[in-house]
Amino acid sequence: MGHLDAVHAAEILGLHPSTVRKYAGRSILASTKNGKKLLFNEEEVASLKTAKDTRESIGDLVRELFVLSCEGANTNFL
């Protein structure tokens, strides 16, 4: 696999390019420099996307369970 610039990495991750650059600065996402341009490993971007999607899915599930519990659902229902 190849490398992506910040704009393409941001598109995949559903983020703004400046956020992707901040991730590089905070070592959340490794990058290399090619002149003035930051490049990101495609596999690492895909891995971060999977983690981000999983976290969002878990958040959705927790919200649904909370609503069900507020509506009186018990463990037998779940």
Side-chain angles (χ1 to χ4, degrees), residues 49-59:
K49 170 73 171 147
T50 300
K52 184 176 177 280
D53 290 348
T54 301
R55 193 181 107 225
E56 289 171 0
S57 295
I58 290 170

